[in-house]
Amino acid sequence: MGVHAVKASEVCRLPLAALDLTRGTITVERRHHSHTVYLDALTMDLAAQWLRERRRSWPTALNPHLFITTHTARHPARVPLSYLGLRAAFDQAGMTPRQLWSDRVLDEARQTADPIHLIRLFGIHPSTAMKYLTAAHPDKVFPRIR
């Protein structure tokens, strides 16, 4: 989430099939489109470790989601990881998933003044990209997007 600015609700719902370690991608399904996230070496390694742990901990789990817990691995409805379950890890760090997402997008916006870069990298709406660019570069005037 902190590297690729995938929202917590999206992480919770990721199906196991969304992760492609061969290609080094995760496909995030959004309302109107799919967004392909190209994984860096650290995230690839952590994803591979998680898959090994998932198979070791729940070898017979039928839950189709990438992230599961002891409860959701055996849940008959095959529910995804709950947002509150994910949020608990953030509470220990003293931040919210939304803050992490916003900080990541803002950090990237500071590195560039190109809205297309933000749109492609994070799969965000053009108006969202412009809001972050305006916040990151208050000295610049950006054209309005219609």
Side-chain angles (χ1 to χ4, degrees), residues 30-59:
R30 299 207 166 131
R31 285 185 188 164
H32 303 293
H33 70 286
S34 296
H35 175 62
T36 301
V37 176
Y38 295 92
L39 304 176
D40 59 291
L42 173 64
T43 307
M44 284 278 294
D45 184 50
L46 291 171
Q49 287 179 43
W50 168 248
L51 289 179
R52 285 191 297 276
E53 179 63 22
R54 187 184 193 279
R55 282 190 293 270
R56 186 192 66 72
S57 299
W58 306 287

PDB file of all heavy atoms in Angstrom, residues 30-59:
ATOM      1  N   ARG A  30     -11.122  -1.979 -10.224  1.00  0.00           N
ATOM      2  CA  ARG A  30     -11.774  -0.774  -9.722  1.00  0.00           C
ATOM      3  C   ARG A  30     -13.144  -0.659 -10.357  1.00  0.00           C
ATOM      4  O   ARG A  30     -13.513  -1.470 -11.197  1.00  0.00           O
ATOM      5  CB  ARG A  30     -10.899   0.436 -10.038  1.00  0.00           C
ATOM      6  CG  ARG A  30      -9.537   0.280  -9.346  1.00  0.00           C
ATOM      7  CD  ARG A  30      -8.888   1.587  -9.053  1.00  0.00           C
ATOM      8  NE  ARG A  30      -7.791   1.392  -8.127  1.00  0.00           N
ATOM      9  CZ  ARG A  30      -6.582   1.888  -8.301  1.00  0.00           C
ATOM     10  NH1 ARG A  30      -6.318   2.629  -9.363  1.00  0.00           N
ATOM     11  NH2 ARG A  30      -5.651   1.684  -7.396  1.00  0.00           N
ATOM     12  N   ARG A  31     -13.899   0.329  -9.991  1.00  0.00           N
ATOM     13  CA  ARG A  31     -15.272   0.461 -10.485  1.00  0.00           C
ATOM     14  C   ARG A  31     -15.373   0.408 -12.002  1.00  0.00           C
ATOM     15  O   ARG A  31     -16.172  -0.315 -12.556  1.00  0.00           O
ATOM     16  CB  ARG A  31     -15.886   1.763 -10.003  1.00  0.00           C
ATOM     17  CG  ARG A  31     -16.270   1.748  -8.576  1.00  0.00           C
ATOM     18  CD  ARG A  31     -16.967   3.016  -8.203  1.00  0.00           C
ATOM     19  NE  ARG A  31     -17.168   3.054  -6.765  1.00  0.00           N
ATOM     20  CZ  ARG A  31     -17.470   4.119  -6.106  1.00  0.00           C
ATOM     21  NH1 ARG A  31     -17.609   5.267  -6.740  1.00  0.00           N
ATOM     22  NH2 ARG A  31     -17.632   4.072  -4.810  1.00  0.00           N
ATOM     23  N   HIS A  32     -14.574   1.214 -12.666  1.00  0.00           N
ATOM     24  CA  HIS A  32     -14.723   1.357 -14.111  1.00  0.00           C
ATOM     25  C   HIS A  32     -13.557   0.797 -14.911  1.00  0.00           C
ATOM     26  O   HIS A  32     -13.577   0.876 -16.142  1.00  0.00           O
ATOM     27  CB  HIS A  32     -14.924   2.833 -14.466  1.00  0.00           C
ATOM     28  CG  HIS A  32     -16.102   3.442 -13.759  1.00  0.00           C
ATOM     29  ND1 HIS A  32     -17.396   3.070 -14.015  1.00  0.00           N
ATOM     30  CD2 HIS A  32     -16.167   4.369 -12.782  1.00  0.00           C
ATOM     31  CE1 HIS A  32     -18.221   3.757 -13.234  1.00  0.00           C
ATOM     32  NE2 HIS A  32     -17.492   4.555 -12.466  1.00  0.00           N
ATOM     33  N   HIS A  33     -12.553   0.267 -14.242  1.00  0.00           N
ATOM     34  CA  HIS A  33     -11.394  -0.246 -14.966  1.00  0.00           C
ATOM     35  C   HIS A  33     -10.531  -1.143 -14.081  1.00  0.00           C
ATOM     36  O   HIS A  33     -10.735  -1.213 -12.882  1.00  0.00           O
ATOM     37  CB  HIS A  33     -10.554   0.916 -15.507  1.00  0.00           C
ATOM     38  CG  HIS A  33      -9.838   1.692 -14.450  1.00  0.00           C
ATOM     39  ND1 HIS A  33     -10.468   2.574 -13.601  1.00  0.00           N
ATOM     40  CD2 HIS A  33      -8.541   1.694 -14.070  1.00  0.00           C
ATOM     41  CE1 HIS A  33      -9.593   3.094 -12.767  1.00  0.00           C
ATOM     42  NE2 HIS A  33      -8.407   2.569 -13.018  1.00  0.00           N
ATOM     43  N   SER A  34      -9.607  -1.807 -14.730  1.00  0.00           N
ATOM     44  CA  SER A  34      -8.592  -2.586 -14.014  1.00  0.00           C
ATOM     45  C   SER A  34      -7.309  -1.784 -14.038  1.00  0.00           C
ATOM     46  O   SER A  34      -6.983  -1.140 -15.040  1.00  0.00           O
ATOM     47  CB  SER A  34      -8.340  -3.919 -14.715  1.00  0.00           C
ATOM     48  OG  SER A  34      -9.485  -4.712 -14.685  1.00  0.00           O
ATOM     49  N   HIS A  35      -6.568  -1.839 -12.944  1.00  0.00           N
ATOM     50  CA  HIS A  35      -5.286  -1.138 -12.868  1.00  0.00           C
ATOM     51  C   HIS A  35      -4.203  -2.175 -12.604  1.00  0.00           C
ATOM     52  O   HIS A  35      -4.289  -2.931 -11.636  1.00  0.00           O
ATOM     53  CB  HIS A  35      -5.308  -0.088 -11.758  1.00  0.00           C
ATOM     54  CG  HIS A  35      -3.989   0.581 -11.544  1.00  0.00           C
ATOM     55  ND1 HIS A  35      -3.374   1.323 -12.522  1.00  0.00           N
ATOM     56  CD2 HIS A  35      -3.157   0.606 -10.482  1.00  0.00           C
ATOM     57  CE1 HIS A  35      -2.219   1.778 -12.058  1.00  0.00           C
ATOM     58  NE2 HIS A  35      -2.066   1.347 -10.819  1.00  0.00           N
ATOM     59  N   THR A  36      -3.204  -2.213 -13.473  1.00  0.00           N
ATOM     60  CA  THR A  36      -2.097  -3.140 -13.302  1.00  0.00           C
ATOM     61  C   THR A  36      -0.995  -2.446 -12.525  1.00  0.00           C
ATOM     62  O   THR A  36      -0.521  -1.386 -12.913  1.00  0.00           O
ATOM     63  CB  THR A  36      -1.560  -3.612 -14.669  1.00  0.00           C
ATOM     64  OG1 THR A  36      -2.629  -4.252 -15.368  1.00  0.00           O
ATOM     65  CG2 THR A  36      -0.410  -4.587 -14.491  1.00  0.00           C
ATOM     66  N   VAL A  37      -0.604  -3.057 -11.429  1.00  0.00           N
ATOM     67  CA  VAL A  37       0.475  -2.542 -10.589  1.00  0.00           C
ATOM     68  C   VAL A  37       1.712  -3.379 -10.885  1.00  0.00           C
ATOM     69  O   VAL A  37       1.675  -4.602 -10.778  1.00  0.00           O
ATOM     70  CB  VAL A  37       0.109  -2.655  -9.088  1.00  0.00           C
ATOM     71  CG1 VAL A  37       1.269  -2.211  -8.221  1.00  0.00           C
ATOM     72  CG2 VAL A  37      -1.145  -1.859  -8.784  1.00  0.00           C
ATOM     73  N   TYR A  38       2.779  -2.720 -11.293  1.00  0.00           N
ATOM     74  CA  TYR A  38       4.043  -3.400 -11.563  1.00  0.00           C
ATOM     75  C   TYR A  38       4.857  -3.390 -10.273  1.00  0.00           C
ATOM     76  O   TYR A  38       5.196  -2.337  -9.749  1.00  0.00           O
ATOM     77  CB  TYR A  38       4.782  -2.717 -12.712  1.00  0.00           C
ATOM     78  CG  TYR A  38       4.004  -2.853 -13.996  1.00  0.00           C
ATOM     79  CD1 TYR A  38       3.083  -1.879 -14.382  1.00  0.00           C
ATOM     80  CD2 TYR A  38       4.147  -3.980 -14.789  1.00  0.00           C
ATOM     81  CE1 TYR A  38       2.336  -2.019 -15.534  1.00  0.00           C
ATOM     82  CE2 TYR A  38       3.400  -4.128 -15.947  1.00  0.00           C
ATOM     83  CZ  TYR A  38       2.499  -3.148 -16.318  1.00  0.00           C
ATOM     84  OH  TYR A  38       1.751  -3.291 -17.453  1.00  0.00           O
ATOM     85  N   LEU A  39       5.150  -4.575  -9.788  1.00  0.00           N
ATOM     86  CA  LEU A  39       5.760  -4.716  -8.473  1.00  0.00           C
ATOM     87  C   LEU A  39       7.274  -4.527  -8.502  1.00  0.00           C
ATOM     88  O   LEU A  39       7.942  -4.987  -9.423  1.00  0.00           O
ATOM     89  CB  LEU A  39       5.437  -6.103  -7.903  1.00  0.00           C
ATOM     90  CG  LEU A  39       3.945  -6.434  -7.807  1.00  0.00           C
ATOM     91  CD1 LEU A  39       3.758  -7.860  -7.324  1.00  0.00           C
ATOM     92  CD2 LEU A  39       3.234  -5.450  -6.895  1.00  0.00           C
ATOM     93  N   ASP A  40       7.776  -3.898  -7.470  1.00  0.00           N
ATOM     94  CA  ASP A  40       9.214  -3.751  -7.289  1.00  0.00           C
ATOM     95  C   ASP A  40       9.745  -5.029  -6.638  1.00  0.00           C
ATOM     96  O   ASP A  40       8.979  -5.906  -6.231  1.00  0.00           O
ATOM     97  CB  ASP A  40       9.497  -2.532  -6.401  1.00  0.00           C
ATOM     98  CG  ASP A  40       8.827  -2.668  -5.052  1.00  0.00           C
ATOM     99  OD1 ASP A  40       7.581  -2.603  -4.995  1.00  0.00           O
ATOM    100  OD2 ASP A  40       9.547  -2.879  -4.067  1.00  0.00           O
ATOM    101  N   ALA A  41      11.062  -5.148  -6.527  1.00  0.00           N
ATOM    102  CA  ALA A  41      11.691  -6.365  -6.006  1.00  0.00           C
ATOM    103  C   ALA A  41      11.264  -6.655  -4.562  1.00  0.00           C
ATOM    104  O   ALA A  41      10.995  -7.813  -4.214  1.00  0.00           O
ATOM    105  CB  ALA A  41      13.209  -6.257  -6.103  1.00  0.00           C
ATOM    106  N   LEU A  42      11.198  -5.635  -3.723  1.00  0.00           N
ATOM    107  CA  LEU A  42      10.804  -5.841  -2.327  1.00  0.00           C
ATOM    108  C   LEU A  42       9.384  -6.388  -2.242  1.00  0.00           C
ATOM    109  O   LEU A  42       9.121  -7.364  -1.528  1.00  0.00           O
ATOM    110  CB  LEU A  42      10.914  -4.535  -1.534  1.00  0.00           C
ATOM    111  CG  LEU A  42      10.370  -4.579  -0.109  1.00  0.00           C
ATOM    112  CD1 LEU A  42      11.169  -5.554   0.750  1.00  0.00           C
ATOM    113  CD2 LEU A  42      10.356  -3.195   0.505  1.00  0.00           C
ATOM    114  N   THR A  43       8.458  -5.780  -2.962  1.00  0.00           N
ATOM    115  CA  THR A  43       7.067  -6.222  -2.917  1.00  0.00           C
ATOM    116  C   THR A  43       6.931  -7.628  -3.497  1.00  0.00           C
ATOM    117  O   THR A  43       6.172  -8.444  -2.985  1.00  0.00           O
ATOM    118  CB  THR A  43       6.156  -5.226  -3.665  1.00  0.00           C
ATOM    119  OG1 THR A  43       6.378  -3.911  -3.152  1.00  0.00           O
ATOM    120  CG2 THR A  43       4.694  -5.581  -3.496  1.00  0.00           C
ATOM    121  N   MET A  44       7.679  -7.923  -4.547  1.00  0.00           N
ATOM    122  CA  MET A  44       7.659  -9.279  -5.124  1.00  0.00           C
ATOM    123  C   MET A  44       8.112 -10.300  -4.091  1.00  0.00           C
ATOM    124  O   MET A  44       7.503 -11.361  -3.936  1.00  0.00           O
ATOM    125  CB  MET A  44       8.582  -9.347  -6.342  1.00  0.00           C
ATOM    126  CG  MET A  44       8.029  -8.703  -7.582  1.00  0.00           C
ATOM    127  SD  MET A  44       6.923  -9.788  -8.460  1.00  0.00           S
ATOM    128  CE  MET A  44       8.053 -11.066  -8.970  1.00  0.00           C
ATOM    129  N   ASP A  45       9.186  -9.985  -3.391  1.00  0.00           N
ATOM    130  CA  ASP A  45       9.713 -10.904  -2.384  1.00  0.00           C
ATOM    131  C   ASP A  45       8.711 -11.097  -1.248  1.00  0.00           C
ATOM    132  O   ASP A  45       8.461 -12.226  -0.810  1.00  0.00           O
ATOM    133  CB  ASP A  45      11.043 -10.380  -1.850  1.00  0.00           C
ATOM    134  CG  ASP A  45      11.688 -11.338  -0.874  1.00  0.00           C
ATOM    135  OD1 ASP A  45      11.809 -12.542  -1.201  1.00  0.00           O
ATOM    136  OD2 ASP A  45      12.071 -10.894   0.229  1.00  0.00           O
ATOM    137  N   LEU A  46       8.119 -10.006  -0.780  1.00  0.00           N
ATOM    138  CA  LEU A  46       7.125 -10.102   0.297  1.00  0.00           C
ATOM    139  C   LEU A  46       5.885 -10.879  -0.153  1.00  0.00           C
ATOM    140  O   LEU A  46       5.331 -11.670   0.615  1.00  0.00           O
ATOM    141  CB  LEU A  46       6.730  -8.711   0.788  1.00  0.00           C
ATOM    142  CG  LEU A  46       7.820  -7.944   1.535  1.00  0.00           C
ATOM    143  CD1 LEU A  46       7.390  -6.505   1.771  1.00  0.00           C
ATOM    144  CD2 LEU A  46       8.170  -8.635   2.840  1.00  0.00           C
ATOM    145  N   ALA A  47       5.473 -10.682  -1.396  1.00  0.00           N
ATOM    146  CA  ALA A  47       4.310 -11.414  -1.921  1.00  0.00           C
ATOM    147  C   ALA A  47       4.607 -12.909  -1.996  1.00  0.00           C
ATOM    148  O   ALA A  47       3.769 -13.738  -1.618  1.00  0.00           O
ATOM    149  CB  ALA A  47       3.925 -10.873  -3.296  1.00  0.00           C
ATOM    150  N   ALA A  48       5.794 -13.264  -2.448  1.00  0.00           N
ATOM    151  CA  ALA A  48       6.182 -14.676  -2.518  1.00  0.00           C
ATOM    152  C   ALA A  48       6.234 -15.290  -1.119  1.00  0.00           C
ATOM    153  O   ALA A  48       5.776 -16.417  -0.905  1.00  0.00           O
ATOM    154  CB  ALA A  48       7.523 -14.818  -3.231  1.00  0.00           C
ATOM    155  N   GLN A  49       6.772 -14.545  -0.161  1.00  0.00           N
ATOM    156  CA  GLN A  49       6.813 -15.023   1.219  1.00  0.00           C
ATOM    157  C   GLN A  49       5.394 -15.224   1.771  1.00  0.00           C
ATOM    158  O   GLN A  49       5.123 -16.199   2.469  1.00  0.00           O
ATOM    159  CB  GLN A  49       7.576 -14.043   2.110  1.00  0.00           C
ATOM    160  CG  GLN A  49       9.069 -14.049   1.901  1.00  0.00           C
ATOM    161  CD  GLN A  49       9.746 -13.033   2.810  1.00  0.00           C
ATOM    162  OE1 GLN A  49       9.411 -12.912   3.980  1.00  0.00           O
ATOM    163  NE2 GLN A  49      10.707 -12.302   2.261  1.00  0.00           N
ATOM    164  N   TRP A  50       4.499 -14.268   1.462  1.00  0.00           N
ATOM    165  CA  TRP A  50       3.128 -14.383   1.937  1.00  0.00           C
ATOM    166  C   TRP A  50       2.458 -15.625   1.348  1.00  0.00           C
ATOM    167  O   TRP A  50       1.749 -16.358   2.053  1.00  0.00           O
ATOM    168  CB  TRP A  50       2.300 -13.143   1.630  1.00  0.00           C
ATOM    169  CG  TRP A  50       0.838 -13.398   1.876  1.00  0.00           C
ATOM    170  CD1 TRP A  50      -0.150 -13.467   0.951  1.00  0.00           C
ATOM    171  CD2 TRP A  50       0.212 -13.693   3.136  1.00  0.00           C
ATOM    172  NE1 TRP A  50      -1.345 -13.767   1.551  1.00  0.00           N
ATOM    173  CE2 TRP A  50      -1.154 -13.918   2.895  1.00  0.00           C
ATOM    174  CE3 TRP A  50       0.680 -13.787   4.439  1.00  0.00           C
ATOM    175  CZ2 TRP A  50      -2.050 -14.220   3.899  1.00  0.00           C
ATOM    176  CZ3 TRP A  50      -0.222 -14.101   5.452  1.00  0.00           C
ATOM    177  CH2 TRP A  50      -1.571 -14.303   5.177  1.00  0.00           C
ATOM    178  N   LEU A  51       2.655 -15.875   0.055  1.00  0.00           N
ATOM    179  CA  LEU A  51       2.040 -17.053  -0.564  1.00  0.00           C
ATOM    180  C   LEU A  51       2.535 -18.345   0.093  1.00  0.00           C
ATOM    181  O   LEU A  51       1.754 -19.273   0.322  1.00  0.00           O
ATOM    182  CB  LEU A  51       2.321 -17.082  -2.068  1.00  0.00           C
ATOM    183  CG  LEU A  51       1.593 -16.033  -2.894  1.00  0.00           C
ATOM    184  CD1 LEU A  51       1.979 -16.167  -4.357  1.00  0.00           C
ATOM    185  CD2 LEU A  51       0.084 -16.145  -2.720  1.00  0.00           C
ATOM    186  N   ARG A  52       3.830 -18.403   0.394  1.00  0.00           N
ATOM    187  CA  ARG A  52       4.361 -19.585   1.089  1.00  0.00           C
ATOM    188  C   ARG A  52       3.725 -19.727   2.476  1.00  0.00           C
ATOM    189  O   ARG A  52       3.333 -20.815   2.882  1.00  0.00           O
ATOM    190  CB  ARG A  52       5.888 -19.502   1.202  1.00  0.00           C
ATOM    191  CG  ARG A  52       6.605 -19.796  -0.101  1.00  0.00           C
ATOM    192  CD  ARG A  52       8.102 -19.983   0.082  1.00  0.00           C
ATOM    193  NE  ARG A  52       8.780 -18.795   0.584  1.00  0.00           N
ATOM    194  CZ  ARG A  52       9.200 -17.791  -0.180  1.00  0.00           C
ATOM    195  NH1 ARG A  52       9.033 -17.840  -1.493  1.00  0.00           N
ATOM    196  NH2 ARG A  52       9.812 -16.754   0.353  1.00  0.00           N
ATOM    197  N   GLU A  53       3.616 -18.607   3.187  1.00  0.00           N
ATOM    198  CA  GLU A  53       3.006 -18.636   4.521  1.00  0.00           C
ATOM    199  C   GLU A  53       1.530 -19.015   4.441  1.00  0.00           C
ATOM    200  O   GLU A  53       1.028 -19.781   5.262  1.00  0.00           O
ATOM    201  CB  GLU A  53       3.165 -17.270   5.203  1.00  0.00           C
ATOM    202  CG  GLU A  53       2.555 -17.173   6.580  1.00  0.00           C
ATOM    203  CD  GLU A  53       3.179 -18.110   7.603  1.00  0.00           C
ATOM    204  OE1 GLU A  53       4.325 -18.558   7.416  1.00  0.00           O
ATOM    205  OE2 GLU A  53       2.502 -18.409   8.608  1.00  0.00           O
ATOM    206  N   ARG A  54       0.834 -18.490   3.467  1.00  0.00           N
ATOM    207  CA  ARG A  54      -0.584 -18.793   3.271  1.00  0.00           C
ATOM    208  C   ARG A  54      -0.767 -20.291   3.025  1.00  0.00           C
ATOM    209  O   ARG A  54      -1.635 -20.921   3.616  1.00  0.00           O
ATOM    210  CB  ARG A  54      -1.108 -17.972   2.086  1.00  0.00           C
ATOM    211  CG  ARG A  54      -2.609 -18.054   1.859  1.00  0.00           C
ATOM    212  CD  ARG A  54      -2.962 -17.262   0.587  1.00  0.00           C
ATOM    213  NE  ARG A  54      -4.366 -17.036   0.445  1.00  0.00           N
ATOM    214  CZ  ARG A  54      -5.234 -17.932  -0.048  1.00  0.00           C
ATOM    215  NH1 ARG A  54      -4.819 -19.109  -0.432  1.00  0.00           N
ATOM    216  NH2 ARG A  54      -6.510 -17.625  -0.145  1.00  0.00           N
ATOM    217  N   ARG A  55       0.057 -20.863   2.143  1.00  0.00           N
ATOM    218  CA  ARG A  55      -0.039 -22.304   1.854  1.00  0.00           C
ATOM    219  C   ARG A  55       0.335 -23.154   3.080  1.00  0.00           C
ATOM    220  O   ARG A  55      -0.265 -24.198   3.327  1.00  0.00           O
ATOM    221  CB  ARG A  55       0.859 -22.679   0.676  1.00  0.00           C
ATOM    222  CG  ARG A  55       0.269 -22.314  -0.671  1.00  0.00           C
ATOM    223  CD  ARG A  55       1.062 -22.909  -1.814  1.00  0.00           C
ATOM    224  NE  ARG A  55       2.394 -22.344  -1.949  1.00  0.00           N
ATOM    225  CZ  ARG A  55       2.703 -21.280  -2.683  1.00  0.00           C
ATOM    226  NH1 ARG A  55       1.766 -20.680  -3.368  1.00  0.00           N
ATOM    227  NH2 ARG A  55       3.934 -20.843  -2.744  1.00  0.00           N
ATOM    228  N   ARG A  56       1.336 -22.696   3.822  1.00  0.00           N
ATOM    229  CA  ARG A  56       1.762 -23.436   5.011  1.00  0.00           C
ATOM    230  C   ARG A  56       0.685 -23.391   6.096  1.00  0.00           C
ATOM    231  O   ARG A  56       0.357 -24.404   6.718  1.00  0.00           O
ATOM    232  CB  ARG A  56       3.067 -22.855   5.560  1.00  0.00           C
ATOM    233  CG  ARG A  56       3.655 -23.673   6.719  1.00  0.00           C
ATOM    234  CD  ARG A  56       4.770 -22.946   7.435  1.00  0.00           C
ATOM    235  NE  ARG A  56       4.340 -21.737   8.141  1.00  0.00           N
ATOM    236  CZ  ARG A  56       3.617 -21.726   9.277  1.00  0.00           C
ATOM    237  NH1 ARG A  56       3.220 -22.860   9.818  1.00  0.00           N
ATOM    238  NH2 ARG A  56       3.287 -20.598   9.846  1.00  0.00           N
ATOM    239  N   SER A  57       0.119 -22.218   6.328  1.00  0.00           N
ATOM    240  CA  SER A  57      -0.856 -22.042   7.401  1.00  0.00           C
ATOM    241  C   SER A  57      -2.228 -22.626   7.080  1.00  0.00           C
ATOM    242  O   SER A  57      -2.893 -23.165   7.964  1.00  0.00           O
ATOM    243  CB  SER A  57      -1.024 -20.554   7.722  1.00  0.00           C
ATOM    244  OG  SER A  57       0.188 -20.010   8.154  1.00  0.00           O
ATOM    245  N   TRP A  58      -2.651 -22.493   5.829  1.00  0.00           N
ATOM    246  CA  TRP A  58      -3.992 -22.931   5.437  1.00  0.00           C
ATOM    247  C   TRP A  58      -3.925 -23.704   4.123  1.00  0.00           C
ATOM    248  O   TRP A  58      -4.413 -23.237   3.083  1.00  0.00           O
ATOM    249  CB  TRP A  58      -4.924 -21.736   5.295  1.00  0.00           C
ATOM    250  CG  TRP A  58      -4.947 -20.876   6.515  1.00  0.00           C
ATOM    251  CD1 TRP A  58      -5.535 -21.169   7.705  1.00  0.00           C
ATOM    252  CD2 TRP A  58      -4.339 -19.590   6.669  1.00  0.00           C
ATOM    253  NE1 TRP A  58      -5.327 -20.141   8.591  1.00  0.00           N
ATOM    254  CE2 TRP A  58      -4.594 -19.156   7.985  1.00  0.00           C
ATOM    255  CE3 TRP A  58      -3.598 -18.764   5.829  1.00  0.00           C
ATOM    256  CZ2 TRP A  58      -4.152 -17.945   8.480  1.00  0.00           C
ATOM    257  CZ3 TRP A  58      -3.156 -17.558   6.322  1.00  0.00           C
ATOM    258  CH2 TRP A  58      -3.431 -17.161   7.633  1.00  0.00           C
ATOM    259  N   PRO A  59      -3.344 -24.903   4.134  1.00  0.00           N
ATOM    260  CA  PRO A  59      -3.151 -25.646   2.880  1.00  0.00           C
ATOM    261  C   PRO A  59      -4.450 -26.037   2.182  1.00  0.00           C
ATOM    262  O   PRO A  59      -4.459 -26.242   0.967  1.00  0.00           O
ATOM    263  CB  PRO A  59      -2.356 -26.885   3.311  1.00  0.00           C
ATOM    264  CG  PRO A  59      -2.584 -27.018   4.768  1.00  0.00           C
ATOM    265  CD  PRO A  59      -2.838 -25.633   5.297  1.00  0.00           C
TER     266      PRO A  59
END
